[in-house]
Amino acid sequence: MSWYRNAVWFVKGLREYTRGGYESASRHFNPADVEVDVAGRSFLVTGANSGIGKATAKEIARRGGTVHLVCRNKERAEVAKEEIVTETGNQNIFLHIVDISNPKEIWKFAEKFQNEHKLNVLINNAGCMVNNRELTEDGLEKNFATNTLGTYIMTTALLPLLEKAADARVITVSSGGMLVQKLTISDLQSGNGPFDGTMVYAQNKRQQVVLTEQWARAHRNIHFSVMHPGWADTPAVRSSMPDFYERMKNSLRTEAQGADTVLWLAVSAEATKLPSGLFFQDRQPVPTHLPLAYTRSPPEDEEKLMQMLEEFSQKFKSVSPG
């Protein structure tokens, strides 16, 4: 059935995920939803030095929020911070250098962050699509380490801080590509068989949807959501999917259009009127499975995923410095 899923997803993408899809959906947006003052609220955005992460951080900064940029590359991050401060006039922009593919670094960062800051909204945006199987220094497959385990550790490590906050939210930037994948827990690090970076990425994004649903059930005081930004013209798309970019570049969304739903989920009062744990596209909850695609997984597999990630994360926590 994989050919069917891919075909349906691509047709759906041409209709909904492009710039035209955004422009059509945005006719129904209420601008007042995001015309809010969030001064005094604290937001953490991972992968914030470019693309959707930077666009989101910039719009939150315009609205007065305190923004913590979590980035891997110090030089690019400093340029992004300076740009955000200059364009918004908001001085409450803080920079943290963390590699989201390095679980020990995340634990160390989160421990320090909890002692020094408050947090109202966590935005898990950092991600990667590595097209050849590559291992991190910890022996983890890099896509899994960044997209799934990194997201899991960053969120679970900061849950105690979020539990203390008013109107706490966690937003994870996923992808519509997850619609072509059924959750697979037998080979989390893609070590068996041929390696297809695009499908590994889509599997990671399916895992993020499952994580969000599981967290929403377990943590009732926090509003969890996961979203698809559409097909946006970002540095990550250009570098990881050059053929796709060349075919679609004239139809791709801008970074700001891709970030719009992240911003809406992060700042609007309307977002939290909807149930926690939903998957969003263009400010609306949408199904997490295509019709007849057979991508639903049994509850025990979803629970097993959480158990496996917890075991992974604790292994790295136990050797974390400090």
Side-chain angles (χ1 to χ4, degrees):
M1 292 297 292
S2 60
W3 65 267
Y4 169 82
R5 294 178 206 157
N6 291 344
V8 173
W9 171 76
F10 191 72
V11 171
K12 180 180 175 68
L14 289 174
R15 186 176 67 247
E16 299 178 16
Y17 300 165
T18 57
R19 189 186 313 133
Y22 174 83
E23 290 167 352
S24 176
S26 66
R27 295 190 193 110
H28 307 285
F29 292 173
N30 181 357
D33 285 358
V34 294
E35 290 172 1
V36 294
D37 183 350
V38 291
R41 285 178 65 76
S42 176
F43 300 76
L44 188 155
V45 185
T46 67
N49 66 279
S50 68
I52 287 166
K54 185 172 77 170
T56 301
K58 192 178 292 183
E59 290 305 317
I60 292 169
R62 286 192 211 283
R63 291 157 176 77
T66 295
V67 186
H68 295 273
L69 313 175
V70 174
C71 307
R72 180 173 56 87
N73 184 288
K74 188 172 188 292
E75 292 72 26
R76 290 202 292 267
E78 286 173 343
V79 171
K81 176 185 173 182
E82 184 177 346
E83 179 185 322
I84 292 168
V85 170
T86 301
E87 290 192 20
T88 68
N90 187 337
Q91 299 294 322
N92 292 318
I93 312 298
F94 300 93
L95 186 56
H96 311 272
I97 305 304
V98 185
D99 183 348
I100 302 298
S101 73
N102 186 321
K104 294 188 288 292
E105 270 191 35
I106 302 172
W107 278 120
K108 185 178 179 182
F109 159 75
E111 184 178 347
K112 186 171 187 290
F113 188 89
Q114 290 188 79
N115 291 331
E116 298 176 356
H117 304 283
K118 71 169 192 172
L119 182 63
N120 298 94
V121 180
L122 167 63
I123 299 171
N124 290 309
N125 166 75
C128 71
M129 184 192 294
V130 179
N131 289 311
N132 296 301
R133 193 169 190 273
E134 183 180 321
L135 301 183
T136 68
E137 64 183 43
D138 296 302
L140 299 169
E141 191 277 315
K142 195 160 189 178
N143 294 291
F144 166 77
T146 306
N147 302 326
T148 301
L149 185 61
T151 296
Y152 178 86
I153 295 177
M154 181 65 77
T155 303
T156 54
L158 292 175
L159 281 175
L161 192 58
L162 288 160
E163 292 277 10
K164 300 174 188 174
D167 188 16
R169 310 182 190 193
V170 175
I171 300 128
T172 300
V173 178
S174 183
S175 167
M178 67 90 193
L179 291 167
V180 305
Q181 285 285 307
K182 178 180 179 179
L183 177 68
T184 302
I185 59 172
S186 61
D187 186 23
L188 288 181
Q189 300 202 62
S190 310
N192 301 330
F195 186 88
D196 182 334
T198 304
M199 289 300 104
V200 170
Y201 176 83
Q203 175 65 208
N204 295 160
K205 295 300 171 176
R206 168 62 70 188
Q207 291 161 357
Q208 290 178 343
V209 170
V210 172
L211 290 179
T212 299
E213 293 169 345
Q214 294 289 316
W215 283 326
R217 293 188 188 104
H219 303 278
R220 303 288 185 172
N221 296 330
I222 301 170
H223 190 272
F224 291 87
S225 55
V226 59
M227 59 79 67
H228 174 38
W231 293 342
D233 186 351
T234 65
V237 167
R238 281 174 242 148
S239 63
S240 298
M241 305 175 70
D243 294 340
F244 172 82
Y245 174 75
E246 281 303 315
R247 286 201 311 272
M248 300 298 299
K249 62 183 177 183
N250 294 325
S251 302
L252 297 177
R253 299 179 177 202
T254 66
E255 292 174 346
Q257 289 170 342
D260 176 81
T261 296
V262 189
L263 177 71
W264 184 81
L265 289 166
V267 307
S268 78
E270 294 304 307
T272 53
K273 292 178 182 177
L274 293 161
S276 182
L278 299 180
F279 179 63
F280 287 83
Q281 177 189 313
D282 292 332
R283 303 192 187 183
Q284 291 290 326
V286 293
T288 55
H289 300 276
L290 293 168
L292 305 176
Y294 301 100
T295 51
R296 297 182 187 276
S297 51
E300 54 266 30
D301 281 6
E302 298 179 357
E303 293 163 9
K304 180 67 173 175
L305 173 68
M306 301 301 284
Q307 179 187 330
M308 294 169 78
L309 292 177
E310 181 62 17
E311 289 170 0
F312 263 117
S313 70
Q314 290 301 318
K315 180 174 75 169
F316 291 106
K317 184 180 183 181
S318 66
V319 296
S320 175

